Amino acid sequence: MNNVIKAEWYKLRKDRSLWTLLTILILISLSHPLLIIFDKNADTITVMDFYRQTILGGNNYIIRLVPCVLAGFFISSEYAIGTMKSIVASGNSRVCIYFAKLMVYSIGAILIAFVFPLVFTGAVAVFLHFNGMPTLSYFASTVGLTALYTSAFASIMALFATIFTESGKAIGFMLFFFLLFDSLLYTLSNFLPVFEVIFSYSIFKLFLDIGRIETIHGIELVQLIAIPIITFIIFGILGSIVFQKKEIK
């Protein structure tokens, strides 16, 4: 298992799609705060407000869409070019291979998810002269939860990337799915109570509560932390089952 993880980590570090995505997001994070210069009300904006509304809100789309591209190139393309066949022939169990790839892919997704909270926040703080910074505990809580929810989304993406063995089809399907699925679930929840329960306890809904973590306590806090972990485990197991039964050419 250790050697498989090391091999996957080496491939992730050399993955051009990851570095391209990170570079684009970092450039956006560094250039967007320049718009603050032209905002006449910039003196009244606090870093906390910007972090809560713009950065965490915008990161909702980043963690659901950008890692789909990485999944297509890091996982699906290995089936098309024959790399996966060589990995399976190495003698390691398929469950071991799948979870090693899922864990390393999740790290790549988390690196993508951290660009806005870290780089964007740092750039905005400089432009706003560190006016109204979020507290360290709030910042650490939101970043930690962002990592948890990114891993949960990554486990779903890894499953789809295993089902679709071509990067183009995998990326197209996943972008379509993650753009529309929560809206579809929300619409169905207005008509059928069972979907209301599913939507209320889904990572799609709970991720939006990260920004108000300081007001969440008790059972709600437990749910906010436990559900992404449970989602990661469930979809990790489902993905490994699909991978075990998959014919790899």
Side-chain angles (χ1 to χ4, degrees):
M1 180 77 172
N2 214 22
N3 290 335
V4 182
I5 292 175
K6 286 180 179 177
E8 294 297 331
W9 176 242
Y10 176 81
K11 286 190 290 184
L12 182 70
R13 287 192 290 115
K14 299 294 182 182
D15 194 298
R16 291 182 180 179
S17 63
L18 172 65
W19 292 111
T20 301
L21 293 170
L22 288 176
T23 301
I24 292 171
L25 290 174
I26 289 172
L27 289 175
I28 293 172
S29 300
L30 294 176
S31 60
H32 185 83
L34 292 173
L35 297 176
I36 295 174
I37 296 175
F38 304 104
D39 190 340
K40 294 180 180 178
N41 298 318
D43 292 338
T44 63
I45 303 172
T46 65
V47 179
M48 178 63 171
D49 290 340
F50 202 90
Y51 179 71
R52 191 199 303 266
Q53 297 168 10
T54 303
I55 295 177
L56 290 180
N59 221 24
N60 175 34
Y61 296 99
I62 297 298
I63 73 167
R64 291 194 304 168
L65 301 179
V66 180
C68 294
V69 180
L70 178 63
F73 289 106
F74 185 67
I75 300 176
S76 299
S77 65
E78 289 197 342
Y79 292 94
I81 62 179
T83 305
M84 192 61 77
K85 186 176 181 179
S86 302
I87 297 172
V88 172
S90 66
N92 294 290
S93 72
R94 289 199 178 194
V95 174
C96 171
I97 293 170
Y98 184 83
F99 274 97
K101 187 171 283 293
L102 173 59
M103 285 190 285
V104 173
Y105 165 67
S106 298
I107 293 173
I110 290 171
L111 290 175
I112 290 170
F114 276 179
V115 173
F116 269 25
L118 300 182
V119 181
F120 206 157
T121 303
V124 167
V126 171
F127 277 92
L128 295 179
H129 307 290
F130 301 96
N131 177 31
M133 292 288 290
T135 63
L136 183 60
S137 61
Y138 177 81
F139 182 75
S141 299
T142 53
V143 169
L145 286 169
T146 296
L148 268 184
Y149 278 79
T150 302
S151 301
F153 281 116
S155 67
I156 301 174
M157 294 171 191
L159 170 63
F160 289 143
T162 303
I163 295 172
F164 295 95
T165 53
E166 293 181 21
S167 58
K169 291 181 180 177
I171 294 170
F173 176 83
M174 284 188 281
L175 290 177
F176 185 76
F177 177 84
F178 284 103
L179 273 173
L180 299 179
F181 183 72
D182 58 333
S183 299
L184 177 63
L185 204 55
Y186 175 74
T187 303
L188 291 173
S189 70
N190 291 324
F191 299 98
L192 298 170
V194 64
F195 285 103
E196 183 180 0
V197 174
I198 294 173
F199 179 69
S200 299
Y201 293 97
S202 71
I203 56 173
F204 295 91
K205 163 71 170 52
L206 293 174
F207 175 78
L208 302 176
D209 293 336
I210 291 179
R212 61 179 191 89
I213 180 66
E214 76 273 33
T215 64
I216 298 176
H217 306 285
I219 187 66
E220 277 190 287
L221 182 60
V222 173
Q223 291 171 353
L224 191 65
I225 296 172
I227 287 180
I229 296 173
I230 294 170
T231 302
F232 181 86
I233 294 171
I234 290 174
F235 279 91
I237 293 171
L238 287 175
S240 66
I241 293 172
V242 171
F243 187 62
Q244 279 182 295
K245 296 182 177 180
K246 195 171 188 65
E247 181 183 359
I248 301 175
K249 299 178 181 178

